[in-house]
Amino acid sequence: MDAPSNSEPASTPGVCLPASLEQARVQSLPSSAFYIPDFISEEEQRVILDKIANAPKPRWKQLTHRRLQTWPSDLVKNALIDAPLPQWLEEPVVSRLLSMPLLPTKRGANIFSASPHHRPNHVLINEYPPGVGIMPHKDGAAYHPVVCTVSLGASLCLNLFKTKEDGTLDSNPAWRILQEPRSLLITAADLYTDYLHGIADTEKDEDLSPDTIANWDLLRSKEDFESGSYQRQTRTSLTYRDVLKVSKLGSKLGMFMKR
């Protein structure tokens, strides 16, 4: 297996965090993409998947071909009702996100240092069965322009798209990022605001090579993809973001209910 260079192992076996995010930068993309293949351990992945599977049924929102969960709640008019994330979504992910400095020389600055709440406050859980993807889209203005995605269970290709000069979408991806299970992908700044991202509706990701996959050099298990294709399995993603507007209505209602 290949490990990212200049990395410092975390105290948890199977976890390997870079000394700074600069060492996890995807060099072939605009300067705001980072990839860490061993962000969580196999045991942590198992625990999180169990928590997702055992969530109360009302937590699941069923779409046409896939389903999702939203924590701590859905947004209302682009605002989040103030509430904490459950502990199993906080640890170990949030503490690790906040522990990694952007640069070796800036030990106090992490990827959320410039966000309003200095940490993620919202998690979207998406389940992607084989053959199911999502159309190219932008995440919108409700969030600070940092997206941290932890992949669980299986690998999958994320496609990034440019908009043509006439405003229409270029149907060919500008870049492709391969997300392995237990990995973390961070996209921010211009990759968030200027590009669309999507997942193809396919049973198999093909044409996989160092020339076609932007983060190939950072992959943990290149040998799994050296045949040039990967048969998809069910992949679950945790998307961590900081919602800009937070309403205190939830806490006020809680105080009222206790009276």
Side-chain angles (χ1 to χ4, degrees):
M1 289 187 181
D2 298 285
S5 60
N6 300 318
S7 296
E8 294 181 354
S11 57
T12 302
V15 174
C16 195
L17 303 182
S20 71
L21 279 183
E22 182 62 31
Q23 295 168 356
R25 187 182 298 279
V26 183
Q27 298 292 339
S28 61
L29 291 177
S31 62
S32 46
F34 310 90
Y35 182 79
I36 300 170
D38 294 298
F39 184 71
I40 63 171
S41 69
E42 291 186 6
E43 175 61 16
E44 289 166 342
Q45 174 180 248
R46 185 193 65 76
V47 169
I48 296 171
L49 285 172
D50 283 348
K51 291 288 188 180
I52 294 171
N54 293 320
K57 285 187 177 180
R59 275 287 175 185
W60 286 107
K61 180 183 293 184
Q62 187 67 52
L63 305 181
T64 304
H65 298 294
R66 60 187 180 88
R67 58 182 186 164
L68 56 87
Q69 296 179 23
T70 308
W71 294 88
S73 63
D74 291 329
L75 302 190
V76 179
K77 295 182 179 179
N78 279 350
L80 178 69
I81 294 176
D82 191 25
L85 292 171
Q87 187 65 18
W88 58 272
L89 286 175
E90 280 278 349
E91 294 296 335
V93 173
V94 174
S95 61
R96 287 182 190 158
L97 289 174
L98 302 183
S99 73
M100 293 184 295
L102 287 169
L103 298 167
T105 55
K106 293 185 177 181
R107 304 302 296 183
N110 61 60
I111 194 66
F112 284 101
S113 290
S115 80
H117 306 99
H118 308 300
R119 63 187 294 114
N121 57 13
H122 189 261
V123 180
L124 185 63
I125 300 175
N126 279 290
E127 186 181 77
Y128 293 96
V132 175
I134 187 170
M135 292 182 64
H137 65 283
K138 292 184 179 181
D139 286 347
Y143 308 96
H144 179 73
V146 169
V147 181
C148 299
T149 303
V150 179
S151 292
L152 306 174
S155 298
L156 182 146
C157 261
L158 179 74
N159 298 325
L160 300 177
F161 297 87
K162 293 180 179 179
T163 303
K164 299 178 182 178
E165 291 184 2
D166 62 3
T168 61
L169 181 69
D170 190 337
S171 59
N172 295 314
W175 300 285
R176 301 165 73 209
I177 301 173
L178 189 52
Q179 296 173 267
E180 299 168 286
R182 304 192 293 109
S183 70
L184 169 70
L185 174 66
I186 300 176
T187 55
D190 49 352
L191 270 181
Y192 181 96
T193 56
D194 298 345
Y195 295 89
L196 291 80
H197 57 279
I199 296 168
D201 296 322
T202 182
E203 298 275 347
K204 182 185 291 187
D205 285 308
E206 299 186 276
D207 192 24
L208 308 178
S209 75
D211 296 326
T212 61
I213 300 300
N215 61 322
W216 185 270
D217 290 343
L218 296 171
L219 294 176
R220 175 179 63 248
S221 304
K222 297 183 184 69
E223 63 273 14
D224 291 346
F225 314 106
E226 286 176 345
S227 67
S229 66
Y230 175 79
Q231 188 71 40
R232 283 194 190 169
Q233 304 171 50
T234 297
R235 177 254 193 178
T236 303
S237 65
L238 311 179
T239 304
Y240 285 76
R241 292 173 289 203
D242 186 359
V243 179
L244 300 176
K245 296 179 182 179
V246 175
S247 168
K248 297 296 183 181
L249 176 62
S251 59
K252 289 179 180 178
L253 280 175
M255 292 174 62
F256 177 78
M257 293 292 287
K258 290 177 182 178
R259 290 179 182 176

